[in-house]
Amino acid sequence: MGEFDGRIAVVTGGTKGIGRAIATLLHNSGCLVEVVDCDKQAGALIEKELKGCQFLPVDVSQFAQVQQVMKSIYEKHGRIDFLVNNAGITCDRLILRMREEEWDKVIDVNLKGAYNCMHACLRYMLKNNSGAIVSIASVIGEAGNAGQANYAASKAGLIGLSRSVAKEMAGHGIRVNLVSPGFISTAMTAGLDDGARKAYLSRIPLHREGTPEEIASVVAFLLSERSSYITGQVIDVNGGLYP
Ligand code: NAD
């Protein structure tokens, strides 16, 4: 028996990196996982790997697409128990060189994407008066970082969005929290040069990168009844890095 037997979970950006680790852990804990991602190739792979999980090709920044896909998930299962807003991108540039489209793209996926998914899922969670949402923020959204103004703004916005929705939904049995990772080894951080990597690691008290699985286990905790008195919180998972 898994902790989440029979639960329906939607994980955005779930084909790779942190999202993939979250989808895998929820699947192994008994959830029926709906993976929402824009990468069709990786989607086909995860469907093969996690038997019973479904991949849905969606760009989370597109309001109408997201409404449609959440409706189809609800019509198929009659419920949506969990939403994990994990899909995210970076497009780093110093502010004076940052083009308007680079600003818009990051805000559209990281912040508007989470709004789109919450807006579409919450009506179904309200029908059951229960549900849990976890959004993946970032230490950068708390501390800021040179060259990442768009990303930092999107993640700071995500914190404000999620905390506000937590207050709106608290009376309806729906909890909303965030996990804020530090430096986690995925494709997103693979492109860093050795100098930048060393500089990051030197500031981390645990002296290593985190793993996607170390984020996934905290997400699962926040979705579970083990965290039934936690809502509107940001949980830092960053090896001791002080934002
Ligand atoms: P990743 O690039 O490995 O995975 C991101 C996933 O999101 C991919 O599967 C990608 O296809 C999907 N995606 C991107 N744009 C999308 C869109 N418009 N619609 C649907 N899916 C889309 O990145 P990751 O490192 O696993 O990051 C996952 C989350 O964790 C992101 O929100 C990121 O900002 C956050 N985060 C990562 C780190 C880190 O160190 N890796 C640190 C802090 C926060």
Side-chain angles (χ1 to χ4, degrees):
M1 285 270 292
E3 181 176 22
F4 296 135
D5 277 350
R7 300 301 183 90
I8 309 301
V10 178
V11 181
T12 73
T15 67
K16 299 191 290 295
I18 292 170
R20 182 189 179 87
I22 294 167
T24 304
L25 179 56
L26 296 183
H27 171 82
N28 291 340
S29 306
C31 271
L32 220 151
V33 184
E34 301 282 352
V35 173
V36 166
D37 200 296
C38 59
D39 184 338
K40 289 186 184 162
Q41 242 180 340
L45 289 179
I46 197 137
E47 266 191 344
K48 266 192 201 154
E49 194 180 297
L50 307 181
K51 292 275 169 274
C53 123
Q54 185 179 215
F55 165 66
L56 297 152
V58 174
D59 177 347
V60 293
S61 69
Q62 300 302 309
F63 185 85
Q65 265 185 45
V66 173
Q67 291 282 324
Q68 181 52 43
V69 82
M70 297 304 177
K71 186 166 178 268
S72 74
I73 293 170
Y74 179 75
E75 283 174 353
K76 185 171 165 206
H77 302 291
R79 58 190 298 137
I80 297 179
D81 297 293
F82 304 140
L83 166 66
V84 181
N85 286 312
N86 164 81
I89 57 168
T90 53
C91 192
D92 299 348
R93 191 95 59 194
L94 292 169
I95 186 73
L96 287 177
R97 296 191 180 157
M98 190 179 288
R99 293 191 296 269
E100 185 184 1
E101 58 267 28
E102 292 170 330
W103 171 268
D104 286 346
K105 199 170 143 194
V106 171
I107 300 290
D108 280 355
V109 175
N110 298 5
L111 181 53
K112 188 180 173 205
Y115 154 76
N116 287 343
C117 293
M118 287 201 225
H119 186 274
C121 270
L122 277 167
R123 75 180 59 179
Y124 304 122
M125 290 182 172
L126 280 169
K127 285 182 193 274
N128 286 337
N129 267 317
S130 81
I133 298 176
V134 176
S135 300
I136 308 299
S138 169
V139 66
I140 305 300
E142 299 177 79
N145 196 28
Q148 292 196 296
N150 51 358
Y151 183 74
S154 73
K155 294 298 185 178
L158 182 59
I159 293 173
L161 165 67
S162 304
R163 283 190 154 147
S164 302
V165 177
K167 289 189 170 162
E168 290 184 24
M169 291 296 143
H172 300 281
I174 299 167
R175 295 180 302 105
V176 185
N177 289 291
L178 302 107
V179 171
S180 182
F183 190 33
I184 310 300
S185 50
T186 68
M188 190 174 271
T189 50
L192 282 176
D193 62 55
D194 274 358
R197 184 176 301 276
K198 271 192 188 143
Y200 273 122
L201 291 181
S202 70
R203 293 174 48 221
I204 299 173
L206 288 181
H207 292 305
R208 65 172 177 85
E209 298 169 21
T211 65
E213 290 71 25
E214 287 172 315
I215 303 301
S217 67
V218 182
V219 171
F221 166 71
L222 288 172
L223 293 174
S224 78
E225 279 303 303
R226 288 174 286 136
S227 62
S228 53
Y229 198 51
I230 302 178
T231 197
Q233 303 304 309
V234 182
I235 310 297
D236 290 325
V237 183
N238 59 22
L241 187 66
Y242 190 69

